[in-house]
């Protein structure tokens, strides 16, 4: 098909015939729309193709997309693909009017039956519109300002997309492809308006609609006549006798004829015209002057001789508007087209238009590939189908080119090339129909095969058309005379009627130019001769991601920066809040300074160290004690520097940075570094300190240096601590022989050893090691006793001697130590007052306060029982008598040391804190010693008889204690622990597993659908498995985000947990489930975003046609590339997706524990943006980018439940509740008592949400009720730990309220939680720490009340463990416990109070306190410290030991419920104890906890 162009047609066919043929094809066939999804059948470009492959690449392909086809076909050889024709196959005016009424209506003027034009002008009055009327001749169709979906590829000459509005509105979407095709579009447009004006003139009363349809009928009939009986015979040529081929005589409409376009017609035969297309087209006027043209057309004397075909694609208006269609029609009528042969002009064979990515294509290669795409039969099979003989010899393809069967003839070179290409010497079964068919071409026209196909097609089009103009007898469209008139109208008549061309300026049959016809062409255009025409612009490619790269990078970088920015904002808000608090403190400090101006207190900021930073402190020098006291802003002592043992101190002051820093260096102490607000404050402090030091005889040395030098040379607390750590490690290593046990605690080098040996402890450091206050009597006496040389410091040897006593000494030696400590005058006797001071000092350690009368009673009783009631002074032997009952306890008692880095051994005889390799059932005394309530032994003895009596009342009951068998191996332990964990949390595991599997299933279903079932849609093949991920994650997001609403239906959950469903669903874990689902939702969101990052990249690299196919519901302007910017920011799906991502970042960032703790209001505000989240989710899906929206399928049910639940809350929380009583209790606790609303029913252990009207009606906070369900009012005890609770305390401060009524509350609730299930267990253990005791206050009161009323309870025994720093904390609970003790007639409740501001259980000081406690309990049946009958313990409980003892006390219990509420550290310890005990056989411990 390659060869020299510029050869004229053998039959003198004109260019007008060729391009009229193109408009005929556009009238009956539109199959150029690509398949959807796009299927690429690319054509490999040879390495030696210099036009397309100048770099000789072996992996280069010309893009080729398969045609659109009926999706119901193509599944098997018996059901091959059927390509679709987008328009009707009839000659029904589709080229002019379109194929749908909606399209036709957009073309109409709706006036006079005419089509809309760019310059609508009325016809001349009193006559018809005729040629020569200047107002008529220049009419063009209206511009496409409506943006009809016309084809709009990029013009290859310009290589960029242009607005579709530049085109004229035509019936055929491809009518603006080139100026020559557009010429005929304008021609038929004008002819319609010409006929409409004629009809309107003849029938002035007719409506616009009737005129339009009448004109349309005539235009279609004329067009049918010209195509079938004038153009087609000219196209098909003539036989040997000179008779033109054509259609047989019309015999009428045949309904059995299928008029559809045959695949061989559209993909092969009708493409015969490609060989006739000229490389350029002349333009001339009526005077035979040919117009020159530039690449963009131009003046007469400029440019080349013709419009280059390849450079005019999709730029048709330029030449048409420049010279109207007249010059183009005259030029085409004078121009002889290309010769009827196999040679194709380069404008088609290499330079036809394509997309931006490959703007020049080889139409001949496309023709061959299209035939294969459409499944055309091979050449010989096609001949047989059309009753032509099979070709058995290559020379038979075209005997004219291969005369006498000589394939070696010079003219037979095309046949030889065809044979060589197919490599089938002698075998023609696989030859494509297009190349063989085009080689059949004869000088008169198409060869036998193509002629037969074309004739058959047009015959079926005519005979199968019920509205064919000649079928007038049946369709009644015309009369016989009108038919005759139509038959006499020629293309010449149409041109004369619609243009200003003089009748003599164009031949009567413009399809041919013969000698003597007007205006012979100057020469035959040769496409290779650049003197004739412009050269075709070369191939250009385009990367569709070019315009997306920066926006792509910016968007995702911006999202990442937004995440970082949100975190920064969170930190800044936290810092601003801290600064606000600091300002308040600063304000308080200034007030304190004003108050302290006349005192000795100075306000400063202490620099503690690089890690610890700074803190605000108060500094005061106590002259009497020669001590410098450093305390907090709240006057809590932080540090005491003893100056009584030094003669001189060192001052270091800064000389830069506003000279605000001051350092005090004292021997054997770490430095005190202070920063003052200004130099004046520092000067005042230094003057005062110098004066005070001078008054007590202490000198000072002043040094000046820069602030950085002061900080770098300062001996910080951290440095001193490291030195002391080494000191203690070596001491304890020697005392306990830890090195021998392989602990390597004493390994130090020589320099460290020297530093340790010379190190001496101050009294403050000694007290800190004992976790005590330096000014306590115990520390004073102990320090004096150990400091044998009396220098005011404890040396290495002195400390080691004391430790040896506690590590190896017996009970007598330890008792001697205690005796000597309080024998102040060292007389060998201890007076009653000294013994009184000893007990008092021990109580001070526990921060306990005991009345003098109770203390005297205690001491009198102890002396009386020891037979010492008559003595006022006792000897050491007498002291031993007092301690004789507790000799064993003293034997393994020692001092507890709070020493970092040293793991001290337990004293011999002390039971392990956790079960060992075996847990045995020991005898009663041993079991008592193993439990924390071992001190209750005397109480147990008192109740043993009563318990034995109850057992004896049940004859035949033999209670035997069995031995727990411990697992033998670590594997068995893990196995048992795992089984117990499954048993205890089986419901949680089941629902979490089920939900996780359902979520995975939701993800997998969509992922599978888009990977496998939706594979045919093509999106997955373009975007890869990013589509799989995003679709699965999208469904997972819809599911998880919707489920979050269910977990927040508090009222519904509270109701359901009281039904039988609570046995199967752990409703109390709704918050934990909420967090877990939120985690899954976040995971799905991250996957969705990452998947879209991949998808957007792939989609942004696709051609516009492919993207339009894949996203059919998205419409865009055809001249605008669907870049990443468009998809992400120009679609509702993309834009809402960005907003959703940013919103999720904000919500999750401010939902962190850090945010809730530091900026709670920000958390509250952002978390309440959830309605916006769901609105955006719905909008996001409504864009229908990939699939129809179905968010509502997931969201509807949960949204209804949540709405109903919210309505219940709204109905309650808008009621104003009056506060009856408000108290400011110790430990920053605010007690509120308020009215109980009508129908407010709740259970002990439940919680409510309240909002204080003065602090914001919509800001709710949760608190547990401390009132009992039987009480008439509701009570809350709220600890002030955050801004809201602090403000609440201020709000109800009596000094603020005064005479005004208490501010009212809004109440929402009650809501259920795990603590309310205490009654479901035979044995319940309630563990409360800090403000976490609130739910148990309600439970204890409820329990006693029900017991008193005789209500049958499943719960047989309740153990309440109250863990508090001192008994002074939460004193309001003491009143509640006292009330419970008074009403607990059936001994249901056992209360144990643990005072943690003390030491471990076997500490010497603890032992002494236990001795006092037991004595006092004997005489008064209540605690010395709390005044309650409850047991008081000193130190932190060992939960595993305690719980193990309960298992022994209640062997019949298979399950023990453990309920804890308090700080996370405490609940973790309880959980660890339960987990540890669940590794062994016996009762299962089920732990429910809440943290505050």
């Amino acid at each position: 098909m390659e060869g020299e162009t510029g050869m004229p047609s053998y039959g003198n066919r004109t260019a007008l015939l060729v391009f009229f043929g193109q408009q005929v094809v556009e009238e009956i066939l539109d199959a150029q729309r690509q398949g959807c999804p796009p299927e690429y059948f690319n054509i490999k470009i040879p390495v030696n193709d210099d036009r397309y492959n100048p770099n000789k690449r072996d992996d280069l392909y010309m893009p080729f997309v398969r045609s659109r086809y009926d999706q119901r076909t193509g599944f098997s050889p018996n059901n091959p693909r059927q390509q679709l024709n987008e328009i009707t196959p009839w000659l029904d005016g589709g080229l002019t009017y379109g194929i749908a009424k909606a399209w036709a209506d957009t073309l109409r003027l709706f006036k006079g039956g005419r089509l809309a034009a760019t310059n609508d002008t009325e016809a001349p009055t009193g006559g018809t519109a005729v040629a020569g009327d200047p107002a008529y001749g220049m009419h063009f169709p209206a511009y496409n300002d409506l943006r009809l979906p016309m084809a709009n590829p990029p013009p290859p000459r310009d290589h960029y997309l242009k607005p579709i509005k530049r085109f004229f509105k035509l019936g055929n979407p491809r009518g603006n492809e080139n100026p020559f095709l557009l010429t005929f579009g304008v021609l038929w447009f004008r002819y319609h308006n010409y006929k409409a004006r004629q009809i309107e003139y003849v029938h002035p009363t007719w409506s616009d609609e009737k005129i339009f349809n009448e004109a349309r009928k005539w235009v279609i009939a004329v067009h049918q006549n010209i195509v079938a009986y004038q153009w087609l015979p000219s196209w098909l040529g003539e036989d040997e006798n000179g008779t033109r081929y054509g259609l047989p005589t019309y015999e009428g409409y045949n309904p059995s004829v299928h008029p559809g376009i045959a695949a061989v017609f559209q993909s092969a035969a009708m493409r015969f015209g490609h060989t006739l297309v000229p490389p350029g087209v002349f333009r001339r006027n009526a005077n035979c002057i040919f117009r020159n043209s530039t690449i963009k057309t131009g003046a007469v004397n400029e440019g080349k001789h013709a419009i280059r075909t390849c450079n005019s694609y999709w730029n048709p208006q330029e030449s048409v508007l420049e010279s109207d269609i007249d010059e183009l029609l005259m030029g085409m009528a004078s121009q002889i087209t290309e010769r009827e042969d196999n040679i194709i002009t380069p404008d088609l064979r290499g330079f036809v238009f394509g997309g931006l990515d490959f703007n020049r294509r080889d139409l001949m290669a496309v023709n061959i590939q299209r035939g294969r795409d459409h499944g055309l039969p091979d050449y010989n099979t096609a001949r047989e189908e059309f009753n032509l003989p099979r070709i058995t010899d290559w020379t038979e393809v075209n005997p004219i080119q291969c005369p006498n069967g000589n394939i070696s003839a010079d003219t037979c070179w095309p046949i030889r090339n065809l044979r060589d290409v197919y490599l089938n010497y002698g075998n023609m079964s696989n030859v494509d129909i297009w190349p063989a068919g085009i080689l059949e071409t004869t000088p008169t026209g198409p060869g036998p095969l193509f002629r037969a196909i074309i004739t058959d097609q047009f015959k079926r089009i005519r005979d199968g058309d019920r509205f064919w103009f000649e079928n007038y007898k049946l369709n009644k469209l015309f009369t016989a005379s009108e038919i005759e008139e139509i038959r006499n109208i020629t293309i010449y008549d149409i041109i004369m009627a619609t243009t200003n061309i003089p009748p003599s300026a164009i031949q009567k049959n413009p399809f041919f130019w013969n000698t003597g016809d007007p205006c012979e062409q100057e020469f035959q255009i040769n496409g290779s001769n650049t003197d004739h025409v412009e050269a075709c612009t070369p191939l250009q490619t385009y990367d569709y991601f070019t315009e997306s790269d920066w926006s792509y990078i910016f968007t995702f970088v911006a999202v990442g920066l937004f995440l970082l920015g949100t975190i920064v904002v969170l930190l800044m808000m936290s810092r601003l809040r801290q600064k606000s608090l600091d300002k308040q403190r600063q304000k308080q400090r200034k007030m304190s300074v004003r108050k302290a101006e006349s005192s000795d207190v100075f306000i400063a900021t202490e620099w503690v160290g690089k890690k610890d930073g700074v803190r605000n402190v108060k500094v005061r020098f106590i002259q009497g004690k020669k001590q410098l006291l450093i305390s907090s802003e709240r006057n809590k002592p932080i540090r005491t520097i003893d100056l009584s043992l030094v003669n001189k101190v060192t001052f270091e002051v800064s000389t830069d940075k506003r000279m605000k820093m001051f350092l005090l260096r004292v021997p054997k102490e770490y430095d005190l570094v202070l920063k003052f607000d200004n130099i004046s404050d520092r000067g005042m402090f230094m003057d005062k300190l110098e004066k005070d030091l001078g008054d007590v005889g202490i000198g000072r040395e002043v040094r000046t240096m820069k602030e950085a030098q002061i900080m770098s040379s300062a001996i910080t607390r951290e440095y001193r601590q490291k030195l002391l750590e080494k000191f203690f490690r070596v001491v304890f290593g020697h005392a306990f022989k830890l090195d021998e046990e392989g602990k390597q605690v004493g390994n130090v080098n020589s320099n460290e050893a020297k530093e340790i040996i010379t190190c001496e402890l101050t009294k403050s450091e000694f007290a800190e090691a004992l976790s005590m206050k330096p000014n306590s009597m115990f520390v004073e006496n102990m320090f004096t006793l150990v400091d044998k040389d009396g220098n005011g410091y404890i040396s290495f040897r002195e400390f080691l001697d004391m430790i040896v006593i506690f590590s190896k000494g017996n009970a007598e030696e330890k008792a001697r130590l205690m005796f000597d400590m309080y024998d102040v005058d060292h007389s060998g006797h201890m007076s009653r007052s000294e013994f009184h001071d000893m007990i008092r000092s021990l109580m001070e350690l526990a921060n306990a306060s005991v009345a003098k009368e109770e203390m005297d009673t205690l001491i009198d009783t102890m002396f009386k029982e020891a037979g010492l009631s008559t003595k006022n002074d006792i000897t050491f032997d007498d002291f031993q008598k007092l301690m004789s009952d507790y000799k064993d306890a003293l034997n393994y008692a020692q001092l507890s040391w709070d020493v970092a880095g040293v793991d001290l051994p337990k004293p011999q005889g002390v039971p392990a804190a956790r079960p060992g390799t075996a847990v045995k059932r020991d005898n009663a005394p041993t079991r008592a010693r193993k439990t924390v309530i071992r001190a209750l032994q005397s109480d147990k003895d008192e109740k043993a008889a009563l318990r034995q009596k109850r057992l004896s009342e049940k004859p035949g009951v033999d209670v035997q204690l069995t031995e727990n068998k411990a697992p033998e191996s670590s594997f068995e332990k893990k196995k048992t622990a795992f089984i117990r964990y499954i048993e205890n949390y089986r419901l949680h595991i089941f629902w979490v597993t089920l939900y996780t599997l359902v979520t995975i299933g939701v993800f997998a279903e969509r992922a599978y659908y888009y990977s496998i079932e939706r594979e045919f849609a093509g999106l997955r093949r373009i975007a890869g498995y990013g589509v799989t991920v995003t679709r699965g994650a999208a469904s997972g997001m819809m599911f998880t985000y919707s489920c979050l609403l269910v977990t927040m239906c508090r009222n519904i959950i509270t109701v359901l947990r009281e039904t039988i469903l609570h046995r199967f669903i752990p409703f109390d874990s709704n918050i934990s489930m909420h967090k877990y689902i939120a985690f899954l939702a976040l995971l799905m969101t991250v996957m969705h975003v990452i998947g879209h990052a991949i998808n957007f990249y792939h989609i942004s690299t696709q051609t516009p046609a492919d993207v339009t196919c894949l996203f059919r519901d998205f419409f865009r302007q055809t001249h605008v590339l669907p870049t990443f910017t468009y998809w992400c920011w120009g679609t509702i799906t993309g834009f809402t997706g960005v907003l959703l991502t940013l919103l999720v970042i904000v919500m999750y960032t401010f939902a962190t524990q850090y945010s809730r703790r530091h900026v709670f209001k920000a958390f509250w505000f952002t978390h309440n943006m959830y309605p916006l989240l769901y609105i955006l989710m719905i909008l996001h899906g409504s864009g229908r980018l990939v699939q129809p929206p179905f968010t509502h399928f997931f969201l509807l049910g949960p949204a209804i439940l949540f709405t109903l639940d919210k309505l219940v809350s709204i109905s309650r929380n808008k009621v104003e509740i009056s506060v009856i009583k408000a108290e400011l209790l110790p430990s920053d606790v605010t007690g509120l008592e308020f009215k109980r609303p009508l129908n407010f029913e709740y259970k002990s252990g439940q919680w409510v949400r309240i909002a204080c009207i003065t602090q914001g009606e919509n800001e709710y906070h949760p608190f547990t009720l401390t009132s009992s369900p039987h009480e008439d009012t509701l009570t809350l005890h709220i600890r002030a730990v955050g801004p809201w609770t602090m403000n609440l305390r201020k709000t109800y401060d009596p000094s603020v309220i005064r005479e005004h009524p208490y501010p009212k509350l809004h109440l929402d609730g009650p809501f259920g939680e795990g603590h309310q299930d205490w009654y479901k267990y035979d044995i319940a253990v309630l563990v409360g720490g800090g403000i976490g005791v609130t739910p148990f206050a309600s439970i204890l009161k409820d329990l006693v009340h029900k017991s008193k009323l005789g209500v049958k309870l499943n719960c047989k025994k309740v153990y309440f463990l109250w863990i508090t720093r001192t008994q002074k904390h939460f004193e309001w609970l003491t009143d509640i416990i006292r009330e419970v003790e008074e009403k607990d007639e059936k001994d249901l409740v056992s209360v144990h109070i643990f005072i943690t501001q003390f030491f471990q259980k076997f500490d010497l000081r603890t032992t002494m306190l236990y001795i006092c406690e037991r004595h006092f309990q004997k005489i008064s049946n209540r605690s010395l410290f709390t005044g309650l009958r409850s047991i008081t313990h000193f130190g932190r409980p060992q939960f595993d030991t305690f719980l193990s003892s309960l298992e022994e006390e209640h062997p019949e219990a298979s399950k023990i419920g453990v309920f804890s509420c308090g700080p996370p550290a405490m609940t973790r310890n309880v959980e660890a104890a339960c987990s540890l005990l669940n590794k062994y056989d016996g009762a299962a411990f089920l732990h429910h906890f809440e943290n505050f």
Side-chain angles (χ1 to χ4, degrees), residues 399-681:
I400 298 175
Q401 290 183 342
C402 302
N404 302 319
N406 182 11
I407 199 170
S408 300
D410 292 341
T411 57
C412 198
W413 63 267
I415 307 298
R416 290 195 302 271
N417 288 347
L418 181 68
R419 179 197 63 183
D420 295 342
V421 167
Y422 283 91
L423 302 176
N424 291 321
Y425 297 93
N427 183 1
M428 305 185 65
S429 60
N430 294 324
V431 177
D432 290 285
I433 188 173
W434 158 250
I438 199 68
L439 286 176
E440 285 186 352
T441 302
T442 67
T444 62
L449 178 58
F450 283 0
R451 185 170 61 246
I453 294 172
I454 294 171
T455 303
D456 171 75
Q457 183 65 64
F458 279 99
K459 182 178 183 301
R460 287 188 293 106
I461 289 174
R462 182 193 67 177
D463 295 348
D465 186 357
R466 183 163 56 92
F467 297 99
W468 186 258
F469 79 100
E470 294 177 291
N471 192 31
Y472 67 96
K473 294 181 180 179
L474 191 62
N475 58 36
K476 309 297 183 182
L477 294 177
F478 298 99
T479 64
S481 60
E482 290 174 332
I483 293 297
E484 193 63 30
E485 181 183 352
I486 292 171
R487 285 175 175 163
N488 291 328
I489 298 175
T490 65
I491 187 65
Y492 175 84
D493 298 324
I494 303 298
I495 294 174
M496 291 299 103
T498 57
T499 66
N500 292 320
I501 299 175
S504 61
I506 191 172
Q507 63 270 34
K508 296 293 183 181
N509 184 3
F511 291 152
F512 294 92
W513 189 92
N514 295 310
T515 303
D517 288 339
C519 304
E520 180 182 2
Q521 66 179 17
E522 296 177 330
F523 49 84
Q524 185 69 28
I525 298 175
N526 186 335
S528 302
N529 190 336
T530 56
D531 291 332
H532 294 176
V533 288
E534 299 279 356
C536 293
T537 57
L539 167 71
Q540 297 184 69
T541 59
Y542 183 79
D543 182 357
Y544 285 105
F545 196 69
T546 301
E547 297 183 20
S548 301
D549 45 5
W550 285 110
S551 60
Y552 182 88
I553 295 171
F554 170 79
T555 298
F556 287 101
V557 169
V559 170
L561 292 177
F562 183 84
L563 172 59
L564 295 177
T566 305
I567 296 173
V568 170
V569 169
L570 170 60
L571 297 176
M572 289 180 63
M573 290 178 68
S574 174
R575 181 168 294 182
L576 288 174
R577 177 177 173 272
Q578 188 61 42
K579 285 185 177 180
S580 176
L581 294 175
D582 290 343
K583 285 183 179 179
Q584 293 181 11
R585 295 192 186 103
Q586 187 76 13
K587 187 176 180 181
Q588 294 175 356
R589 283 178 56 190
K590 289 181 179 179
M591 293 176 63
S592 300
V593 168
R594 294 192 190 101
K595 294 179 181 179
E597 283 179 350
S598 58
S599 67
D600 298 332
V601 178
F602 288 86
I603 310 296
T605 300
E606 181 187 7
W607 181 74
V608 184
K610 292 181 179 179
K611 290 184 178 180
D612 297 326
V614 298
R615 61 187 177 188
N616 296 322
V617 296
K618 296 180 179 179
V619 184
R620 181 167 65 96
F621 184 77
I622 305 174
Q623 279 195 351
K625 296 183 178 181
K626 296 186 180 180
Q627 292 178 343
L628 193 65
L629 177 63
I630 298 94
S631 58
S632 67
E633 291 180 301
R634 296 185 179 182
N635 297 316
K636 180 181 178 181
I638 296 175
R639 179 186 177 190
T640 301
I641 302 178
D642 189 358
L643 302 176
S644 61
L645 303 176
V646 299
N647 297 321
K648 185 176 72 171
V649 297
T650 301
F651 292 175
E652 291 183 1
V653 293
S654 62
T655 57
D656 61 342
K657 296 183 179 181
R658 297 172 60 188
M659 298 181 287
K660 299 185 296 182
M661 183 167 283
F662 168 84
L663 179 145
L664 173 65
R665 180 162 295 157
V666 179
K668 304 185 187 303
E669 295 269 3
Y670 63 89
D671 297 340
L672 175 66
V673 183
L674 300 176
K675 283 186 176 181
F676 294 88
D677 291 340
N678 48 62
I679 187 174
S680 175
D681 290 349

Side-chain angles (χ1 to χ4, degrees), residues 8 130 159 277 325 357 411 443 463 480 606 635 689 704 708 814 1011 1029 1051 1117 1222 1225 1306 1348 1378 1384 1390 1413 1447:
V130 295
H159 198 233
V277 174
I325 64 173
D357 54 322
T411 57
D463 295 348
E606 181 187 7
N635 297 316
L689 185 59
T704 59
K814 294 172 184 177
S1011 296
V1029 173
N1051 298 291
Q1117 300 183 57
L1225 303 173
H1306 284 321
K1348 190 173 182 180
R1378 184 177 294 109
D1384 185 16
S1390 177
E1413 172 76 353
E1447 188 178 5

